[in-house]
Amino acid sequence: INGHGHFRSLRIFSKEILDDPINKSIYFSIFMEIIIYRRRFTRWGVDGTLVIKGTKVCNTIEHPERYLPAGDYEIAFVSIANKSRKMPVILRKGQAVWEVGINSPCLKPGNGPMTLKYGCIILGKAVASGLVIHSQEYFDRLCERLRKASKKKECIKLRIIDWGSDEISIAF
């Protein structure tokens, strides 16, 4: 930190944090990371598993053709015109919250992926390829968890990984 109370360089600050185990744990606790492991790609949908801190939270399904590319995203709660409440919207790299519209991908409840557009992801308990049950229940639980993280000013990260069913741990 220079004499004016500002950091000389973010790179120096980051290196100092990462070298000190106590600071490292504080630094990494300011965001929540959600990982979706895509396990199966079929004509009925893309089946996945949503994991937070190494623990399975629920299953996911996506449209068999209109899904987001694997990669890193952020999630923000945003009011969308046709929804009665704020939705967990998936922000593409470099996308600002004010650029979110009705055509933005989001996490949502549902039963099957065929009506999904824009890369949306349905949460629930998988019963068959492209089909989940108890979707609203799993969606509400995850949203509550995300809202708590958001209130604590945690950045919510989403990582989507394309894994085959042979590569993912049987625990998921």
Short mmCIF file of all heavy atoms in Angstrom, two decimals, residues 91-156:
data_model
loop_
_atom_site.label_atom_id
_atom_site.label_comp_id
_atom_site.label_asym_id
_atom_site.label_seq_id
_atom_site.Cartn_x
_atom_site.Cartn_y
_atom_site.Cartn_z
N LEU A 91 -24.22 -14.49 -16.32
CA LEU A 91 -23.56 -13.42 -17.07
C LEU A 91 -22.41 -14.00 -17.88
O LEU A 91 -21.55 -14.69 -17.34
CB LEU A 91 -23.03 -12.34 -16.13
CG LEU A 91 -24.07 -11.66 -15.23
CD1 LEU A 91 -23.37 -10.71 -14.27
CD2 LEU A 91 -25.10 -10.93 -16.07
N ARG A 92 -22.40 -13.68 -19.14
CA ARG A 92 -21.30 -14.11 -20.00
C ARG A 92 -20.07 -13.27 -19.68
O ARG A 92 -20.18 -12.20 -19.09
CB ARG A 92 -21.68 -13.96 -21.46
CG ARG A 92 -22.89 -14.80 -21.82
CD ARG A 92 -23.43 -14.44 -23.20
NE ARG A 92 -24.78 -14.92 -23.39
CZ ARG A 92 -25.08 -16.09 -23.91
NH1 ARG A 92 -24.13 -16.92 -24.26
NH2 ARG A 92 -26.33 -16.46 -24.06
N LYS A 93 -18.90 -13.75 -20.06
CA LYS A 93 -17.66 -13.04 -19.76
C LYS A 93 -17.72 -11.61 -20.29
O LYS A 93 -18.02 -11.38 -21.45
CB LYS A 93 -16.48 -13.78 -20.39
CG LYS A 93 -15.15 -13.30 -19.92
CD LYS A 93 -14.05 -14.24 -20.33
CE LYS A 93 -12.78 -13.83 -19.61
NZ LYS A 93 -11.85 -14.92 -19.51
N GLY A 94 -17.47 -10.66 -19.41
CA GLY A 94 -17.47 -9.25 -19.78
C GLY A 94 -18.84 -8.61 -19.82
O GLY A 94 -18.96 -7.42 -20.08
N GLN A 95 -19.89 -9.37 -19.55
CA GLN A 95 -21.25 -8.81 -19.60
C GLN A 95 -21.56 -8.10 -18.30
O GLN A 95 -21.31 -8.62 -17.21
CB GLN A 95 -22.27 -9.92 -19.84
CG GLN A 95 -23.69 -9.43 -19.97
CD GLN A 95 -24.69 -10.55 -20.21
OE1 GLN A 95 -24.39 -11.73 -20.00
NE2 GLN A 95 -25.89 -10.20 -20.63
N ALA A 96 -22.12 -6.91 -18.40
CA ALA A 96 -22.51 -6.14 -17.22
C ALA A 96 -23.96 -6.46 -16.86
O ALA A 96 -24.75 -6.86 -17.72
CB ALA A 96 -22.36 -4.65 -17.50
N VAL A 97 -24.30 -6.27 -15.61
CA VAL A 97 -25.65 -6.57 -15.12
C VAL A 97 -26.69 -5.75 -15.88
O VAL A 97 -27.77 -6.25 -16.21
CB VAL A 97 -25.75 -6.31 -13.60
CG1 VAL A 97 -27.18 -6.46 -13.12
CG2 VAL A 97 -24.85 -7.26 -12.84
N TRP A 98 -26.40 -4.51 -16.21
CA TRP A 98 -27.39 -3.67 -16.89
C TRP A 98 -27.62 -4.09 -18.34
O TRP A 98 -28.54 -3.63 -18.99
CB TRP A 98 -27.01 -2.19 -16.84
CG TRP A 98 -25.67 -1.88 -17.43
CD1 TRP A 98 -25.38 -1.68 -18.75
CD2 TRP A 98 -24.45 -1.76 -16.73
NE1 TRP A 98 -24.05 -1.45 -18.92
CE2 TRP A 98 -23.44 -1.48 -17.68
CE3 TRP A 98 -24.09 -1.84 -15.39
CZ2 TRP A 98 -22.11 -1.30 -17.34
CZ3 TRP A 98 -22.75 -1.65 -15.06
CH2 TRP A 98 -21.79 -1.38 -16.03
N GLU A 99 -26.80 -5.02 -18.85
CA GLU A 99 -26.99 -5.53 -20.21
C GLU A 99 -27.91 -6.75 -20.26
O GLU A 99 -28.20 -7.26 -21.32
CB GLU A 99 -25.63 -5.91 -20.82
CG GLU A 99 -24.69 -4.75 -20.99
CD GLU A 99 -23.29 -5.18 -21.43
OE1 GLU A 99 -22.86 -6.29 -21.06
OE2 GLU A 99 -22.66 -4.40 -22.15
N VAL A 100 -28.36 -7.19 -19.10
CA VAL A 100 -29.21 -8.37 -19.01
C VAL A 100 -30.60 -8.03 -19.51
O VAL A 100 -31.14 -6.98 -19.21
CB VAL A 100 -29.26 -8.88 -17.55
CG1 VAL A 100 -30.34 -9.93 -17.38
CG2 VAL A 100 -27.91 -9.39 -17.12
N GLY A 101 -31.16 -8.94 -20.27
CA GLY A 101 -32.52 -8.73 -20.79
C GLY A 101 -33.30 -10.02 -20.73
O GLY A 101 -32.88 -11.02 -20.14
N ILE A 102 -34.44 -10.00 -21.36
CA ILE A 102 -35.33 -11.16 -21.36
C ILE A 102 -34.70 -12.36 -22.04
O ILE A 102 -35.06 -13.50 -21.79
CB ILE A 102 -36.68 -10.78 -21.99
CG1 ILE A 102 -37.74 -11.81 -21.64
CG2 ILE A 102 -36.55 -10.59 -23.49
CD1 ILE A 102 -39.14 -11.37 -21.95
N ASN A 103 -33.71 -12.13 -22.90
CA ASN A 103 -33.05 -13.22 -23.62
C ASN A 103 -31.78 -13.71 -22.95
O ASN A 103 -30.95 -14.36 -23.59
CB ASN A 103 -32.71 -12.77 -25.05
CG ASN A 103 -33.94 -12.39 -25.84
OD1 ASN A 103 -35.05 -12.80 -25.50
ND2 ASN A 103 -33.76 -11.62 -26.88
N SER A 104 -31.62 -13.42 -21.69
CA SER A 104 -30.40 -13.82 -20.97
C SER A 104 -30.57 -15.22 -20.37
O SER A 104 -31.65 -15.57 -19.89
CB SER A 104 -30.10 -12.83 -19.86
OG SER A 104 -29.81 -11.56 -20.41
N PRO A 105 -29.49 -16.00 -20.38
CA PRO A 105 -29.56 -17.33 -19.76
C PRO A 105 -29.70 -17.22 -18.24
O PRO A 105 -29.18 -16.28 -17.64
CB PRO A 105 -28.24 -17.98 -20.14
CG PRO A 105 -27.31 -16.86 -20.43
CD PRO A 105 -28.16 -15.72 -20.92
N CYS A 106 -30.42 -18.15 -17.63
CA CYS A 106 -30.58 -18.12 -16.18
C CYS A 106 -30.77 -19.54 -15.65
O CYS A 106 -30.98 -20.48 -16.40
CB CYS A 106 -31.76 -17.24 -15.78
SG CYS A 106 -33.35 -17.81 -16.38
N LEU A 107 -30.65 -19.66 -14.33
CA LEU A 107 -31.01 -20.90 -13.64
C LEU A 107 -32.49 -20.81 -13.37
O LEU A 107 -32.98 -19.75 -12.96
CB LEU A 107 -30.22 -21.02 -12.33
CG LEU A 107 -28.70 -21.03 -12.44
CD1 LEU A 107 -28.07 -21.04 -11.06
CD2 LEU A 107 -28.21 -22.21 -13.26
N LYS A 108 -33.23 -21.90 -13.57
CA LYS A 108 -34.68 -21.83 -13.41
C LYS A 108 -35.28 -23.19 -13.09
O LYS A 108 -34.65 -24.22 -13.33
CB LYS A 108 -35.32 -21.23 -14.65
CG LYS A 108 -35.07 -22.04 -15.91
CD LYS A 108 -35.54 -21.32 -17.17
CE LYS A 108 -37.02 -21.30 -17.28
NZ LYS A 108 -37.53 -20.65 -18.46
N PRO A 109 -36.51 -23.20 -12.57
CA PRO A 109 -37.22 -24.46 -12.39
C PRO A 109 -37.87 -24.89 -13.70
O PRO A 109 -38.08 -24.07 -14.59
CB PRO A 109 -38.26 -24.11 -11.33
CG PRO A 109 -38.53 -22.66 -11.53
CD PRO A 109 -37.23 -22.07 -12.01
N GLY A 110 -38.18 -26.16 -13.82
CA GLY A 110 -38.85 -26.67 -15.01
C GLY A 110 -38.83 -28.20 -14.98
O GLY A 110 -38.30 -28.80 -14.05
N ASN A 111 -39.37 -28.81 -16.01
CA ASN A 111 -39.40 -30.28 -16.06
C ASN A 111 -38.51 -30.85 -17.14
O ASN A 111 -37.84 -31.84 -16.95
CB ASN A 111 -40.83 -30.77 -16.24
CG ASN A 111 -41.70 -30.44 -15.05
OD1 ASN A 111 -41.25 -30.58 -13.93
ND2 ASN A 111 -42.90 -29.97 -15.29
N GLY A 112 -38.56 -30.25 -18.31
CA GLY A 112 -37.78 -30.75 -19.43
C GLY A 112 -37.18 -29.60 -20.22
O GLY A 112 -37.66 -28.47 -20.16
N PRO A 113 -36.14 -29.88 -20.97
CA PRO A 113 -35.38 -28.81 -21.62
C PRO A 113 -35.87 -28.35 -22.99
O PRO A 113 -35.35 -27.39 -23.53
CB PRO A 113 -34.00 -29.45 -21.76
CG PRO A 113 -34.30 -30.89 -21.99
CD PRO A 113 -35.50 -31.17 -21.12
N MET A 114 -36.86 -29.01 -23.57
CA MET A 114 -37.20 -28.72 -24.97
C MET A 114 -37.71 -27.30 -25.20
O MET A 114 -37.58 -26.78 -26.29
CB MET A 114 -38.19 -29.74 -25.51
CG MET A 114 -37.60 -31.12 -25.61
SD MET A 114 -36.03 -31.10 -26.51
CE MET A 114 -35.52 -32.77 -26.33
N THR A 115 -38.27 -26.67 -24.19
CA THR A 115 -38.75 -25.29 -24.36
C THR A 115 -37.69 -24.26 -23.97
O THR A 115 -37.94 -23.06 -24.09
CB THR A 115 -40.02 -25.04 -23.53
OG1 THR A 115 -39.71 -25.25 -22.15
CG2 THR A 115 -41.15 -25.95 -23.96
N LEU A 116 -36.56 -24.70 -23.49
CA LEU A 116 -35.52 -23.77 -23.05
C LEU A 116 -34.91 -23.01 -24.23
O LEU A 116 -34.72 -23.55 -25.31
CB LEU A 116 -34.40 -24.51 -22.32
CG LEU A 116 -34.70 -25.04 -20.94
CD1 LEU A 116 -33.49 -25.77 -20.38
CD2 LEU A 116 -35.11 -23.92 -20.01
N LYS A 117 -34.59 -21.75 -23.96
CA LYS A 117 -33.92 -20.92 -24.94
C LYS A 117 -32.77 -20.21 -24.26
O LYS A 117 -32.68 -20.17 -23.03
CB LYS A 117 -34.89 -19.87 -25.50
CG LYS A 117 -36.09 -20.46 -26.21
CD LYS A 117 -37.00 -19.35 -26.67
CE LYS A 117 -38.24 -19.94 -27.31
NZ LYS A 117 -39.21 -18.91 -27.67
N TYR A 118 -31.89 -19.65 -25.03
CA TYR A 118 -30.84 -18.73 -24.56
C TYR A 118 -29.81 -19.35 -23.63
O TYR A 118 -29.08 -18.65 -22.96
CB TYR A 118 -31.45 -17.50 -23.88
CG TYR A 118 -32.68 -16.99 -24.55
CD1 TYR A 118 -33.91 -16.99 -23.89
CD2 TYR A 118 -32.64 -16.53 -25.87
CE1 TYR A 118 -35.05 -16.52 -24.52
CE2 TYR A 118 -33.78 -16.07 -26.50
CZ TYR A 118 -34.98 -16.06 -25.82
OH TYR A 118 -36.10 -15.61 -26.44
N GLY A 119 -29.76 -20.67 -23.49
CA GLY A 119 -28.77 -21.30 -22.62
C GLY A 119 -29.21 -21.45 -21.18
O GLY A 119 -28.38 -21.63 -20.29
N CYS A 120 -30.51 -21.37 -20.91
CA CYS A 120 -31.01 -21.53 -19.54
C CYS A 120 -30.74 -22.94 -19.03
O CYS A 120 -30.60 -23.88 -19.82
CB CYS A 120 -32.50 -21.23 -19.48
SG CYS A 120 -32.89 -19.50 -19.75
N ILE A 121 -30.68 -23.07 -17.71
CA ILE A 121 -30.39 -24.36 -17.07
C ILE A 121 -31.48 -24.65 -16.05
O ILE A 121 -31.77 -23.82 -15.19
CB ILE A 121 -29.01 -24.32 -16.39
CG1 ILE A 121 -27.92 -24.02 -17.42
CG2 ILE A 121 -28.73 -25.62 -15.65
CD1 ILE A 121 -26.54 -23.76 -16.82
N ILE A 122 -32.08 -25.84 -16.15
CA ILE A 122 -33.12 -26.27 -15.21
C ILE A 122 -32.47 -27.09 -14.10
O ILE A 122 -31.59 -27.90 -14.35
CB ILE A 122 -34.19 -27.11 -15.93
CG1 ILE A 122 -34.97 -26.25 -16.92
CG2 ILE A 122 -35.14 -27.76 -14.93
CD1 ILE A 122 -36.00 -27.01 -17.72
N LEU A 123 -32.94 -26.87 -12.88
CA LEU A 123 -32.44 -27.59 -11.70
C LEU A 123 -33.49 -28.60 -11.24
O LEU A 123 -34.69 -28.37 -11.41
CB LEU A 123 -32.18 -26.60 -10.56
CG LEU A 123 -31.33 -25.38 -10.90
CD1 LEU A 123 -31.28 -24.43 -9.72
CD2 LEU A 123 -29.95 -25.80 -11.32
N GLY A 124 -33.05 -29.69 -10.62
CA GLY A 124 -34.00 -30.67 -10.08
C GLY A 124 -33.31 -31.98 -9.76
O GLY A 124 -32.09 -32.06 -9.67
N LYS A 125 -34.13 -33.01 -9.60
CA LYS A 125 -33.62 -34.36 -9.35
C LYS A 125 -33.84 -35.17 -10.62
O LYS A 125 -34.98 -35.33 -11.09
CB LYS A 125 -34.36 -35.03 -8.18
CG LYS A 125 -33.89 -36.43 -7.91
CD LYS A 125 -34.62 -37.06 -6.76
CE LYS A 125 -34.07 -38.47 -6.58
NZ LYS A 125 -34.74 -39.20 -5.55
N ALA A 126 -32.76 -35.68 -11.20
CA ALA A 126 -32.84 -36.42 -12.46
C ALA A 126 -33.56 -37.75 -12.27
O ALA A 126 -33.30 -38.48 -11.32
CB ALA A 126 -31.44 -36.66 -13.02
N VAL A 127 -34.48 -38.03 -13.19
CA VAL A 127 -35.17 -39.33 -13.19
C VAL A 127 -34.93 -40.07 -14.51
O VAL A 127 -35.07 -41.27 -14.57
CB VAL A 127 -36.68 -39.20 -12.90
CG1 VAL A 127 -36.91 -38.77 -11.47
CG2 VAL A 127 -37.36 -38.27 -13.88
N ALA A 128 -34.61 -39.33 -15.55
CA ALA A 128 -34.28 -39.91 -16.86
C ALA A 128 -33.53 -38.84 -17.64
O ALA A 128 -33.53 -37.67 -17.25
CB ALA A 128 -35.56 -40.31 -17.60
N SER A 129 -32.90 -39.24 -18.71
CA SER A 129 -32.18 -38.26 -19.52
C SER A 129 -33.16 -37.19 -20.02
O SER A 129 -34.18 -37.50 -20.62
CB SER A 129 -31.51 -38.95 -20.71
OG SER A 129 -30.76 -38.02 -21.44
N GLY A 130 -32.86 -35.94 -19.70
CA GLY A 130 -33.71 -34.84 -20.13
C GLY A 130 -34.94 -34.60 -19.27
O GLY A 130 -35.84 -33.86 -19.65
N LEU A 131 -35.01 -35.21 -18.09
CA LEU A 131 -36.19 -35.07 -17.24
C LEU A 131 -35.77 -34.98 -15.77
O LEU A 131 -35.01 -35.81 -15.28
CB LEU A 131 -37.14 -36.26 -17.43
CG LEU A 131 -38.41 -36.25 -16.60
CD1 LEU A 131 -39.31 -35.08 -17.00
CD2 LEU A 131 -39.16 -37.57 -16.76
N VAL A 132 -36.29 -33.95 -15.07
CA VAL A 132 -36.06 -33.81 -13.64
C VAL A 132 -37.40 -33.65 -12.92
O VAL A 132 -38.40 -33.27 -13.54
CB VAL A 132 -35.14 -32.61 -13.28
CG1 VAL A 132 -33.75 -32.79 -13.83
CG2 VAL A 132 -35.74 -31.30 -13.73
N ILE A 133 -37.40 -33.95 -11.64
CA ILE A 133 -38.58 -33.74 -10.79
C ILE A 133 -38.16 -32.86 -9.61
O ILE A 133 -36.98 -32.64 -9.37
CB ILE A 133 -39.19 -35.07 -10.30
CG1 ILE A 133 -38.17 -35.89 -9.51
CG2 ILE A 133 -39.76 -35.86 -11.47
CD1 ILE A 133 -38.75 -37.16 -8.87
N HIS A 134 -39.15 -32.37 -8.88
CA HIS A 134 -38.94 -31.52 -7.69
C HIS A 134 -38.10 -30.29 -8.04
O HIS A 134 -37.33 -29.80 -7.22
CB HIS A 134 -38.28 -32.30 -6.55
CG HIS A 134 -39.01 -33.54 -6.17
ND1 HIS A 134 -40.29 -33.54 -5.69
CD2 HIS A 134 -38.63 -34.84 -6.25
CE1 HIS A 134 -40.68 -34.78 -5.45
NE2 HIS A 134 -39.70 -35.60 -5.79
N SER A 135 -38.30 -29.79 -9.23
CA SER A 135 -37.48 -28.69 -9.73
C SER A 135 -37.66 -27.40 -8.91
O SER A 135 -36.68 -26.74 -8.57
CB SER A 135 -37.81 -28.43 -11.19
OG SER A 135 -36.96 -27.45 -11.71
N GLN A 136 -38.89 -27.04 -8.63
CA GLN A 136 -39.14 -25.80 -7.88
C GLN A 136 -38.48 -25.86 -6.50
O GLN A 136 -37.89 -24.89 -6.04
CB GLN A 136 -40.64 -25.55 -7.73
CG GLN A 136 -40.97 -24.19 -7.13
CD GLN A 136 -40.59 -23.03 -8.03
OE1 GLN A 136 -40.97 -23.00 -9.20
NE2 GLN A 136 -39.84 -22.08 -7.52
N GLU A 137 -38.56 -27.00 -5.85
CA GLU A 137 -37.96 -27.19 -4.53
C GLU A 137 -36.44 -26.99 -4.58
O GLU A 137 -35.87 -26.26 -3.77
CB GLU A 137 -38.30 -28.60 -4.03
CG GLU A 137 -37.74 -28.95 -2.69
CD GLU A 137 -38.07 -30.40 -2.31
OE1 GLU A 137 -39.13 -30.92 -2.74
OE2 GLU A 137 -37.25 -31.00 -1.60
N TYR A 138 -35.77 -27.63 -5.55
CA TYR A 138 -34.32 -27.49 -5.67
C TYR A 138 -33.94 -26.07 -6.08
O TYR A 138 -32.96 -25.51 -5.60
CB TYR A 138 -33.77 -28.50 -6.68
CG TYR A 138 -33.65 -29.88 -6.12
CD1 TYR A 138 -34.64 -30.83 -6.34
CD2 TYR A 138 -32.55 -30.26 -5.35
CE1 TYR A 138 -34.54 -32.10 -5.82
CE2 TYR A 138 -32.44 -31.53 -4.82
CZ TYR A 138 -33.44 -32.45 -5.06
OH TYR A 138 -33.33 -33.71 -4.54
N PHE A 139 -34.73 -25.47 -6.95
CA PHE A 139 -34.48 -24.09 -7.38
C PHE A 139 -34.57 -23.14 -6.19
O PHE A 139 -33.69 -22.30 -5.99
CB PHE A 139 -35.48 -23.69 -8.47
CG PHE A 139 -35.38 -22.25 -8.88
CD1 PHE A 139 -34.35 -21.82 -9.71
CD2 PHE A 139 -36.32 -21.33 -8.45
CE1 PHE A 139 -34.26 -20.50 -10.09
CE2 PHE A 139 -36.24 -20.01 -8.82
CZ PHE A 139 -35.20 -19.58 -9.65
N ASP A 140 -35.63 -23.26 -5.39
CA ASP A 140 -35.81 -22.38 -4.23
C ASP A 140 -34.66 -22.53 -3.23
O ASP A 140 -34.17 -21.54 -2.69
CB ASP A 140 -37.15 -22.66 -3.54
CG ASP A 140 -38.34 -22.21 -4.37
OD1 ASP A 140 -38.16 -21.38 -5.30
OD2 ASP A 140 -39.46 -22.69 -4.09
N ARG A 141 -34.24 -23.78 -2.98
CA ARG A 141 -33.13 -24.02 -2.05
C ARG A 141 -31.84 -23.37 -2.55
O ARG A 141 -31.12 -22.74 -1.78
CB ARG A 141 -32.90 -25.52 -1.85
CG ARG A 141 -33.76 -26.10 -0.78
CD ARG A 141 -33.20 -27.47 -0.39
NE ARG A 141 -34.26 -28.44 -0.53
CZ ARG A 141 -34.10 -29.71 -0.79
NH1 ARG A 141 -32.91 -30.21 -0.97
NH2 ARG A 141 -35.13 -30.52 -0.87
N LEU A 142 -31.54 -23.57 -3.83
CA LEU A 142 -30.32 -22.98 -4.38
C LEU A 142 -30.40 -21.45 -4.37
O LEU A 142 -29.43 -20.78 -4.01
CB LEU A 142 -30.05 -23.48 -5.80
CG LEU A 142 -28.77 -22.91 -6.42
CD1 LEU A 142 -27.52 -23.36 -5.65
CD2 LEU A 142 -28.66 -23.27 -7.88
N CYS A 143 -31.55 -20.90 -4.73
CA CYS A 143 -31.70 -19.44 -4.73
C CYS A 143 -31.49 -18.86 -3.34
O CYS A 143 -30.87 -17.81 -3.19
CB CYS A 143 -33.06 -19.03 -5.28
SG CYS A 143 -33.13 -19.08 -7.07
N GLU A 144 -32.00 -19.53 -2.33
CA GLU A 144 -31.81 -19.06 -0.96
C GLU A 144 -30.32 -19.04 -0.61
O GLU A 144 -29.81 -18.09 -0.02
CB GLU A 144 -32.58 -19.94 0.03
CG GLU A 144 -32.49 -19.49 1.46
CD GLU A 144 -33.03 -18.08 1.68
OE1 GLU A 144 -33.96 -17.66 0.98
OE2 GLU A 144 -32.49 -17.38 2.57
N ARG A 145 -29.63 -20.07 -1.00
CA ARG A 145 -28.18 -20.14 -0.76
C ARG A 145 -27.44 -19.04 -1.52
O ARG A 145 -26.53 -18.41 -0.98
CB ARG A 145 -27.71 -21.52 -1.21
CG ARG A 145 -26.39 -21.93 -0.69
CD ARG A 145 -26.19 -23.42 -0.93
NE ARG A 145 -24.88 -23.81 -0.53
CZ ARG A 145 -24.42 -25.04 -0.57
NH1 ARG A 145 -25.19 -26.01 -1.02
NH2 ARG A 145 -23.19 -25.32 -0.19
N LEU A 146 -27.85 -18.79 -2.76
CA LEU A 146 -27.22 -17.74 -3.55
C LEU A 146 -27.53 -16.35 -3.01
O LEU A 146 -26.67 -15.48 -3.01
CB LEU A 146 -27.66 -17.85 -5.02
CG LEU A 146 -27.30 -19.13 -5.75
CD1 LEU A 146 -27.82 -19.10 -7.18
CD2 LEU A 146 -25.81 -19.37 -5.74
N ARG A 147 -28.75 -16.15 -2.54
CA ARG A 147 -29.11 -14.85 -1.95
C ARG A 147 -28.28 -14.56 -0.70
O ARG A 147 -27.85 -13.44 -0.49
CB ARG A 147 -30.60 -14.81 -1.62
CG ARG A 147 -31.47 -14.55 -2.80
CD ARG A 147 -32.93 -14.26 -2.40
NE ARG A 147 -33.73 -14.17 -3.59
CZ ARG A 147 -34.37 -15.19 -4.15
NH1 ARG A 147 -34.33 -16.39 -3.61
NH2 ARG A 147 -35.08 -15.02 -5.25
N LYS A 148 -28.08 -15.58 0.14
CA LYS A 148 -27.24 -15.39 1.33
C LYS A 148 -25.83 -15.00 0.93
O LYS A 148 -25.23 -14.10 1.54
CB LYS A 148 -27.21 -16.66 2.18
CG LYS A 148 -28.49 -16.92 2.94
CD LYS A 148 -28.42 -18.20 3.74
CE LYS A 148 -29.73 -18.47 4.44
NZ LYS A 148 -29.72 -19.75 5.16
N ALA A 149 -25.27 -15.66 -0.07
CA ALA A 149 -23.93 -15.32 -0.55
C ALA A 149 -23.90 -13.90 -1.11
O ALA A 149 -22.97 -13.14 -0.86
CB ALA A 149 -23.47 -16.32 -1.61
N SER A 150 -24.93 -13.55 -1.84
CA SER A 150 -25.02 -12.22 -2.43
C SER A 150 -25.11 -11.13 -1.36
O SER A 150 -24.49 -10.08 -1.47
CB SER A 150 -26.22 -12.16 -3.37
OG SER A 150 -26.27 -10.97 -4.06
N LYS A 151 -25.89 -11.40 -0.31
CA LYS A 151 -26.01 -10.42 0.79
C LYS A 151 -24.69 -10.22 1.52
O LYS A 151 -24.44 -9.17 2.06
CB LYS A 151 -27.10 -10.86 1.78
CG LYS A 151 -28.49 -10.62 1.27
CD LYS A 151 -29.54 -11.04 2.27
CE LYS A 151 -30.92 -10.84 1.68
NZ LYS A 151 -31.98 -11.27 2.57
N LYS A 152 -23.85 -11.27 1.52
CA LYS A 152 -22.52 -11.16 2.14
C LYS A 152 -21.50 -10.57 1.17
O LYS A 152 -20.32 -10.58 1.43
CB LYS A 152 -22.04 -12.53 2.63
CG LYS A 152 -22.85 -13.07 3.79
CD LYS A 152 -22.20 -14.30 4.40
CE LYS A 152 -22.31 -15.50 3.52
NZ LYS A 152 -21.83 -16.74 4.14
N LYS A 153 -22.01 -10.07 0.03
CA LYS A 153 -21.17 -9.45 -1.01
C LYS A 153 -20.21 -10.45 -1.65
O LYS A 153 -19.15 -10.08 -2.13
CB LYS A 153 -20.41 -8.24 -0.47
CG LYS A 153 -21.28 -7.19 0.18
CD LYS A 153 -22.18 -6.55 -0.83
CE LYS A 153 -22.95 -5.42 -0.17
NZ LYS A 153 -24.20 -5.13 -0.80
N GLU A 154 -20.56 -11.72 -1.64
CA GLU A 154 -19.74 -12.72 -2.31
C GLU A 154 -20.06 -12.71 -3.80
O GLU A 154 -21.22 -12.59 -4.19
CB GLU A 154 -20.03 -14.12 -1.76
CG GLU A 154 -19.56 -14.35 -0.36
CD GLU A 154 -19.82 -15.77 0.13
OE1 GLU A 154 -19.99 -16.68 -0.70
OE2 GLU A 154 -19.86 -15.96 1.35
N CYS A 155 -19.04 -12.81 -4.59
CA CYS A 155 -19.20 -12.95 -6.03
C CYS A 155 -19.56 -14.41 -6.30
O CYS A 155 -18.94 -15.31 -5.76
CB CYS A 155 -17.89 -12.57 -6.73
SG CYS A 155 -17.98 -12.70 -8.51
N ILE A 156 -20.58 -14.65 -7.12
CA ILE A 156 -21.01 -16.01 -7.40
C ILE A 156 -20.49 -16.41 -8.78
O ILE A 156 -20.90 -15.84 -9.79
CB ILE A 156 -22.54 -16.14 -7.32
CG1 ILE A 156 -23.04 -15.67 -5.95
CG2 ILE A 156 -22.97 -17.57 -7.60
CD1 ILE A 156 -24.54 -15.49 -5.87
#
